[in-house]
Amino acid sequence: MHRIVNQLGKGSYNGINRLPVRRGQTATHIQDLEPKPFSAIPEPRKLPLLGTAFDYRKFEPKQFHKRVLKRHQELGPIYKETVLPGMTPTIVFTSSSDDLQKMLKIHASMPQRGEMKFLKKARESFGFHGGVASVNGEEWYKMRKQINEHFLNTESVWTYAKEHYEVSKDFADFIQNNLNEENEVPDFRLAMQRWAFEAACVFVLETRCGTLSGEVTENVKVIIDSTSDILVGFVPLFFGLPLWKYFPPKILRLSKRQYLIKCLLFEDIEKTCSMKRTPVIYQGWRKLCMKVPLLQQESILADFLGGGIVTTQHAAAFALYCLANNPEKQEVLRKEIKEFKKKDNISGKTLQGLKYLHACVRETQRLFPLTLGFSRIIPKDLILSGYLVPKDTLVLNVGNIMNNRDERFFKDPDEFLPERWLTSREPSSRFAMSGSFGQGPRMCPGRRFAMQELNCLLVALLDKFHIEYHHKPFELEFQALFAPSEDPQFTFIPLEK
Ligand code: HEM
């Protein structure tokens, strides 16, 4: 069995040596009956007016998660931080699974994440709606209701499965046609972006754009680059000082990207992609979209194209990496796929039967979670890890990165063991992580599409190639969501038929 390279070897985690959480501070030992005051929550060293801002002088946004891990090691399972008092919110960071359960139990019909005023401002600066991710309250609720009707309805997601499988088969052919002498595809990162773009277009624009069969046009490159740039640009805007309020250039870059996407998407998709548009379904999505005001329609489409490319691209890279490093697991999965294909055609429904495939995807997301965790502005006072946290505080549960390789929750935590998801789970591990898609009514609306795309990709690629990886080990790199630190340059050895 191959160990999924844990960056510094045993006992280390994401490049940081793991220390046990402080004794007596684990949530299970804490009496909720007598909560300690909010002011007693541990904090990193701070200066009277400057908070912890001085810590961010040489801040490397891509390593943000390492900062969070280090603070947890120094301060225990809960801490709070105010980067610049009066300018940035106080954020409570917790890794306790009890706290996660409590956050999940609050039933808010209109949950709020941390505010993304910068995104709203960037979009509004050129007359574009803020989008579902950046608004709150009634406005969010109305938009989200329309979106859920289509995006979270399994039947409607399954309608696109055939086309998603076609995209992934085209991608397998693309790989086959572009292999070099080392059996690698030069610039495989761009190739994966093409796959993710094409797969997102299937359900967002209900169009095949042909990016896997022809040259990628400049316009498509701009769309793809913009969607990844926007996410990377989020990090300092979200976690850093709110300089964007005073220095517009910071936000102008984001606006420019958003603006380009808007023009390219809505002015003329055929001209944009320089190819004949091939409608694929035209079933519910466009009709549904028409129910909301025009400005919101545009923003919903941009949100989904923006939200649906980089995310699945990274999820796919991590999955291929885990399978490439664990050839015997790869073989078990290939066997499941081959058996399945003898009996059944690929459809949204039949794909649900591939249990080992789902287990591989879950195990990948345990080892390489795509997000830090689960964040909410809590709608009422809550006792977290024994402290009274007042209503309206922004709380970030970072169990995804603190607990995912902790043996208190997962046996042999550094091993890639999809089998652990096939048997009944240890109850203690249930709330260790919030999962990559968030939780509750504000959970990612694209999750079913993302999983369908990923499942189709693994079926199409494993059916055709044995996959290996011979470069530097992947680490997590924070780009609002987690991306692989290395180029996803895999070796594809065609299988004999
Ligand atoms: C593996 C892929 C993906 C991951 C890991 C991911 C992760 C997330 C997470 C963690 C959230 C916040 C949820 C919360 O606060 O509880 C979110 C929200 C969102 N995601 Fe995804 N996502 C993925 C794919 C997609 C796709 C394919 C789309 C679009 C088609 C999409 C569109 C969105 C949108 C629009 C929101 C904002 C929802 C709201 O605020 O109501 N995501 N996503």
Side-chain angles (χ1 to χ4, degrees), residues 113 116 132-135 140 144 147 151 200 203-204 300 303-315 365 370-371 373-376 435-447 449-451 453-454 481:
R113 271 191 301 275
M116 293 210 266
V132 69
S134 76
V135 294
W140 168 80
R144 189 60 204 249
I147 290 168
F151 275 71
F203 64 94
V204 180
I300 289 177
D303 272 344
F304 280 80
L305 201 63
I309 299 176
V310 199
T311 46
T312 40
Q313 176 200 331
H314 297 329
Q365 290 185 6
L370 290 151
T371 51
F374 169 62
S375 80
R376 288 292 175 261
S436 287
F437 293 107
Q439 291 281 343
R442 196 123 201 193
M443 199 174 170
C444 174
R447 61 190 186 271
F449 277 106
M451 284 299 106
E453 289 172 48
L454 199 52
L481 73 154

XYZ file of all heavy atoms in Angstrom, residues 113 116 132-135 140 144 147 151 200 203-204 300 303-315 365 370-371 373-376 435-447 449-451 453-454 481, ligand 1:
451
model
N -22.621 33.510 5.230
C -21.178 33.291 5.372
C -20.566 34.652 5.658
O -21.277 35.636 5.737
C -20.611 32.781 4.035
C -20.636 31.313 3.849
C -19.827 30.953 2.637
N -20.324 31.594 1.443
C -21.304 31.128 0.686
N -21.875 30.003 0.988
N -21.705 31.777 -0.386
N -19.032 39.238 1.447
C -18.119 39.405 0.305
C -18.468 40.717 -0.384
O -18.808 40.743 -1.556
C -18.243 38.207 -0.620
C -17.733 36.938 0.013
S -17.069 35.793 -1.153
C -18.485 34.802 -1.452
N -25.287 35.296 -6.324
C -25.842 34.567 -5.187
C -24.838 34.418 -4.038
O -25.204 34.429 -2.868
C -26.409 33.189 -5.644
C -25.312 32.236 -6.064
C -27.262 32.559 -4.568
N -23.560 34.298 -4.381
C -22.559 34.075 -3.328
C -22.330 35.315 -2.479
O -21.917 35.218 -1.340
C -21.247 33.623 -3.956
N -22.615 36.508 -3.031
C -22.246 37.713 -2.284
C -23.431 38.400 -1.620
O -23.253 39.368 -0.911
C -21.512 38.702 -3.194
O -22.425 39.349 -4.037
N -24.656 37.927 -1.865
C -25.792 38.603 -1.223
C -26.305 37.778 -0.048
O -25.975 36.593 0.088
C -26.936 38.890 -2.242
C -26.472 39.886 -3.282
C -27.465 37.616 -2.883
N -30.936 36.784 -1.254
C -30.249 35.505 -1.455
C -31.275 34.371 -1.551
O -31.202 33.520 -2.441
C -29.284 35.219 -0.293
C -28.798 33.798 -0.320
C -27.805 33.304 -1.108
C -29.318 32.692 0.428
N -27.661 31.951 -0.901
C -28.579 31.553 0.045
C -30.328 32.543 1.373
C -28.825 30.273 0.578
C -30.568 31.280 1.906
C -29.823 30.175 1.508
N -31.625 31.771 -4.580
C -31.187 30.400 -4.277
C -32.318 29.388 -4.508
O -32.089 28.254 -4.907
C -30.673 30.391 -2.837
C -29.985 29.152 -2.360
C -28.752 28.796 -3.170
N -28.507 27.379 -3.019
C -27.490 26.837 -2.377
N -26.552 27.593 -1.865
N -27.378 25.528 -2.288
N -32.351 28.493 -8.063
C -31.171 27.689 -8.392
C -31.361 26.253 -7.894
O -31.122 25.290 -8.630
C -29.915 28.337 -7.766
C -29.602 29.637 -8.493
C -28.715 27.399 -7.800
C -28.587 30.515 -7.807
N -30.622 22.775 -9.742
C -29.283 22.245 -9.459
C -29.268 21.160 -8.401
O -28.361 20.340 -8.368
C -28.345 23.390 -9.058
C -27.735 24.062 -10.243
C -28.497 24.852 -11.075
C -26.401 23.878 -10.554
C -27.946 25.450 -12.184
C -25.841 24.470 -11.663
C -26.621 25.262 -12.481
N -18.483 22.282 -17.596
C -19.351 23.310 -16.995
C -20.291 23.892 -18.046
O -21.461 24.152 -17.763
C -18.503 24.412 -16.360
N -23.820 22.206 -18.567
C -25.041 22.504 -17.800
C -25.272 23.980 -17.534
O -26.378 24.367 -17.196
C -25.081 21.694 -16.496
C -23.981 22.036 -15.523
C -24.192 22.962 -14.523
C -22.751 21.433 -15.615
C -23.185 23.278 -13.613
C -21.731 21.742 -14.722
C -21.949 22.659 -13.733
N -24.242 24.821 -17.720
C -24.478 26.253 -17.478
C -24.994 26.921 -18.757
O -25.987 27.641 -18.737
C -23.208 26.967 -16.979
C -23.487 28.445 -16.746
C -22.715 26.344 -15.693
N -26.274 34.843 -12.310
C -26.358 33.416 -11.969
C -25.492 32.610 -12.950
O -24.704 31.754 -12.559
C -27.826 32.920 -11.994
C -28.597 33.517 -10.806
C -27.895 31.400 -11.936
C -30.060 33.159 -10.750
N -21.903 33.234 -12.099
C -21.553 32.541 -10.851
C -21.281 31.066 -11.114
O -20.347 30.477 -10.579
C -22.745 32.558 -9.867
C -22.745 33.798 -9.014
O -21.714 34.465 -8.955
O -23.793 34.088 -8.399
N -22.132 30.493 -11.939
C -22.010 29.056 -12.145
C -20.880 28.689 -13.078
O -20.250 27.652 -12.895
C -23.356 28.460 -12.578
C -24.218 28.268 -11.380
C -24.903 29.331 -10.832
C -24.253 27.054 -10.723
C -25.638 29.187 -9.666
C -24.977 26.899 -9.562
C -25.683 27.956 -9.030
N -20.638 29.542 -14.052
C -19.489 29.236 -14.901
C -18.211 29.498 -14.097
O -17.292 28.683 -14.087
C -19.509 30.080 -16.179
C -18.684 29.469 -17.291
C -19.236 28.121 -17.721
C -18.599 30.375 -18.480
N -18.207 30.612 -13.357
C -17.046 30.947 -12.527
C -16.819 29.913 -11.446
O -15.698 29.476 -11.194
N -17.916 29.495 -10.799
C -17.800 28.567 -9.668
C -17.583 27.137 -10.094
O -17.224 26.294 -9.272
N -17.812 26.847 -11.360
C -17.843 25.446 -11.781
C -16.624 24.959 -12.550
O -16.600 23.809 -12.977
N -15.618 25.821 -12.740
C -14.476 25.365 -13.556
C -13.284 24.991 -12.668
O -12.888 23.827 -12.602
C -14.066 26.450 -14.587
C -15.238 26.717 -15.534
C -12.847 25.998 -15.393
C -14.991 27.825 -16.539
N -12.756 25.960 -11.960
C -11.536 25.721 -11.168
C -11.800 24.660 -10.095
O -10.933 23.835 -9.801
C -11.101 27.020 -10.448
C -9.665 26.934 -10.030
C -11.341 28.214 -11.311
N -13.001 24.709 -9.512
C -13.341 23.786 -8.429
C -13.209 22.324 -8.872
O -12.489 21.543 -8.257
C -14.789 24.046 -7.979
O -15.599 24.160 -9.146
C -14.912 25.294 -7.150
N -13.886 21.986 -9.962
C -13.858 20.589 -10.403
C -12.480 20.218 -10.961
O -12.050 19.069 -10.825
C -14.934 20.315 -11.476
O -14.989 21.418 -12.341
C -16.293 20.093 -10.871
N -11.816 21.219 -11.538
C -10.466 20.952 -12.071
C -9.534 20.491 -10.928
O -8.828 19.480 -11.066
C -9.949 22.249 -12.691
C -8.542 22.190 -13.197
C -7.957 23.600 -13.320
O -8.672 24.586 -13.553
N -6.659 23.705 -13.166
N -9.562 21.180 -9.802
C -8.691 20.790 -8.685
C -9.153 19.471 -8.058
O -8.333 18.625 -7.684
C -8.640 21.889 -7.620
C -8.041 23.172 -8.106
N -7.070 23.206 -9.074
C -8.270 24.460 -7.766
C -6.727 24.463 -9.311
N -7.445 25.242 -8.532
N -10.476 19.306 -7.943
C -10.986 18.052 -7.364
C -10.511 16.866 -8.217
O -10.095 15.827 -7.691
C -12.510 18.079 -7.298
N -11.106 13.422 -0.890
C -11.470 14.700 -0.267
C -11.191 14.716 1.234
O -11.163 15.773 1.839
C -12.919 15.041 -0.582
C -13.023 15.392 -2.058
C -14.370 15.877 -2.514
O -15.280 16.077 -1.728
N -14.500 16.043 -3.813
N -11.054 20.233 -0.247
C -10.992 21.358 -1.182
C -11.228 22.694 -0.502
O -10.989 23.746 -1.085
C -12.012 21.137 -2.309
C -11.577 19.991 -3.219
C -12.753 19.287 -3.836
C -10.632 20.497 -4.292
N -11.713 22.634 0.737
C -11.958 23.886 1.457
C -11.453 23.767 2.892
O -11.341 22.666 3.424
C -13.460 24.218 1.493
O -14.175 23.079 1.971
C -13.988 24.586 0.138
N -13.041 24.597 5.565
C -14.099 24.089 6.440
C -15.390 24.824 6.191
O -15.709 25.141 5.053
N -16.045 25.161 7.271
C -17.430 25.615 7.177
C -17.549 26.929 7.948
O -17.215 26.983 9.131
C -18.256 24.487 7.807
C -19.687 24.763 8.082
C -20.565 25.053 7.067
C -20.169 24.699 9.385
C -21.898 25.279 7.334
C -21.492 24.912 9.661
C -22.356 25.204 8.624
N -17.993 28.009 7.268
C -18.041 29.289 7.987
C -19.446 29.849 8.029
O -20.199 29.721 7.068
C -17.109 30.297 7.311
O -17.722 30.856 6.182
N -19.808 30.444 9.152
C -21.114 31.069 9.287
C -21.034 32.266 10.212
O -20.259 32.259 11.183
C -22.149 30.097 9.908
C -22.612 28.987 9.019
C -23.459 29.494 7.836
N -23.792 28.393 6.946
C -23.142 28.120 5.811
N -22.136 28.873 5.430
N -23.507 27.117 5.061
N -16.699 18.628 5.374
C -16.784 18.235 3.966
C -16.449 19.419 3.071
O -16.455 20.573 3.500
N -16.160 19.092 1.804
C -15.659 20.137 0.902
C -16.742 21.078 0.395
O -16.446 22.117 -0.173
C -14.968 19.490 -0.297
O -13.738 18.955 0.109
N -18.007 20.705 0.539
C -19.066 21.512 -0.080
C -19.822 22.397 0.894
O -20.847 22.968 0.551
C -20.068 20.591 -0.792
C -19.474 19.889 -1.983
C -19.169 18.536 -1.935
C -19.219 20.585 -3.144
C -18.615 17.894 -3.031
C -18.668 19.958 -4.245
C -18.361 18.604 -4.191
N -19.384 22.489 2.144
C -20.112 23.271 3.138
C -21.286 22.470 3.674
O -21.352 21.245 3.477
N -22.217 23.148 4.322
C -23.320 22.444 4.978
C -24.578 23.304 4.979
O -24.499 24.519 4.919
C -22.941 22.156 6.444
C -21.835 21.140 6.628
C -22.315 19.710 6.473
O -23.506 19.427 6.534
N -21.375 18.789 6.278
N -25.722 22.644 5.093
C -26.993 23.358 5.296
C -27.514 24.038 4.045
O -27.037 23.792 2.938
N -28.512 24.928 4.209
C -29.177 25.547 3.043
C -28.227 26.352 2.153
O -28.542 26.604 0.994
C -30.221 26.481 3.658
C -30.330 26.111 5.084
C -29.078 25.391 5.479
N -27.084 26.768 2.704
C -26.169 27.568 1.893
C -25.067 26.708 1.272
O -24.122 27.211 0.634
C -25.573 28.689 2.757
C -24.944 29.761 1.957
C -25.463 31.132 2.173
N -25.119 31.954 1.022
C -25.208 33.272 0.986
N -25.658 33.925 2.012
N -24.884 33.922 -0.120
N -25.194 25.408 1.464
C -24.205 24.458 0.925
C -24.064 24.645 -0.593
O -24.999 25.130 -1.230
C -24.755 23.056 1.217
C -23.770 21.972 1.181
S -24.636 20.470 1.738
C -23.381 19.276 1.335
N -22.938 24.221 -1.139
C -22.674 24.429 -2.564
C -23.802 23.884 -3.448
O -24.096 22.695 -3.434
C -21.369 23.731 -2.941
S -21.059 23.786 -4.706
N -24.426 24.743 -4.248
C -25.505 24.264 -5.116
C -24.987 23.453 -6.311
O -25.755 22.749 -6.959
C -26.182 25.549 -5.584
C -25.118 26.595 -5.491
C -24.206 26.190 -4.367
N -23.681 23.559 -6.579
C -23.142 22.862 -7.753
C -22.611 21.472 -7.424
O -22.039 20.805 -8.281
N -22.817 21.015 -6.170
C -22.121 19.796 -5.740
C -22.530 18.551 -6.535
O -21.698 17.709 -6.843
C -22.311 19.569 -4.245
C -23.754 19.379 -3.793
C -23.833 19.412 -2.275
N -25.150 19.095 -1.747
C -26.100 19.991 -1.530
N -25.882 21.269 -1.841
N -27.264 19.632 -1.032
N -23.589 18.419 -9.646
C -22.973 18.486 -10.972
C -21.482 18.177 -10.870
O -20.936 17.435 -11.686
C -23.187 19.871 -11.592
C -24.526 20.006 -12.259
C -25.539 20.744 -11.683
C -24.776 19.367 -13.461
C -26.782 20.849 -12.291
C -26.017 19.462 -14.084
C -27.018 20.213 -13.492
N -20.848 18.756 -9.842
C -19.405 18.546 -9.698
C -19.098 17.055 -9.553
O -18.187 16.518 -10.193
C -18.885 19.321 -8.498
N -19.894 16.359 -8.712
C -19.639 14.931 -8.485
C -19.901 14.127 -9.753
O -19.173 13.189 -10.074
C -20.531 14.414 -7.335
C -20.052 14.839 -5.973
S -18.388 14.222 -5.619
C -17.416 15.649 -5.777
N -19.578 15.141 -12.827
C -18.462 15.380 -13.759
C -17.253 14.549 -13.367
O -16.601 13.927 -14.206
C -18.060 16.856 -13.731
C -19.048 17.785 -14.355
C -18.652 19.238 -14.108
O -17.487 19.598 -14.321
O -19.523 20.016 -13.685
N -16.990 14.541 -12.072
C -15.816 13.836 -11.556
C -15.968 12.320 -11.766
O -15.035 11.638 -12.215
C -15.701 14.150 -10.060
C -14.386 13.915 -9.383
C -13.273 14.595 -10.128
C -14.453 14.482 -7.945
N -10.117 28.181 -2.471
C -10.265 26.761 -2.189
C -8.870 26.156 -2.347
O -7.936 26.866 -2.720
C -11.315 26.091 -3.084
C -11.011 25.847 -4.539
C -11.824 24.671 -5.026
C -11.362 27.051 -5.344
C -15.552 20.116 -6.279
C -16.168 21.186 -6.616
C -16.748 22.230 -5.683
C -16.454 22.533 -4.381
C -15.447 21.870 -3.475
C -17.319 23.627 -3.980
C -17.354 24.179 -2.704
C -18.244 25.142 -2.294
C -18.386 25.617 -0.934
C -17.597 25.127 0.265
C -19.340 26.570 -0.920
C -19.830 27.332 0.321
C -20.909 26.476 0.986
C -21.340 26.890 2.381
O -21.106 28.033 2.799
O -21.940 26.042 3.092
C -19.805 26.719 -2.282
C -20.769 27.617 -2.689
C -21.122 27.799 -4.004
N -20.751 26.996 -5.077
Fe -19.501 25.432 -5.036
N -18.088 23.963 -5.047
C -17.781 23.132 -6.090
C -18.365 23.112 -7.330
C -19.269 24.037 -7.763
C -19.866 24.038 -9.053
C -19.642 22.974 -10.134
C -20.662 25.141 -9.099
C -21.519 25.652 -10.197
C -21.988 25.002 -11.118
C -20.577 25.818 -7.822
C -21.252 26.979 -7.495
C -21.335 27.505 -6.219
C -22.123 28.696 -5.871
C -22.943 29.546 -6.834
C -21.992 28.873 -4.487
C -22.607 29.992 -3.626
C -23.912 29.477 -3.039
C -24.599 30.426 -2.059
O -23.963 31.344 -1.536
O -25.798 30.216 -1.833
N -19.730 25.110 -7.029
N -19.133 25.838 -3.089
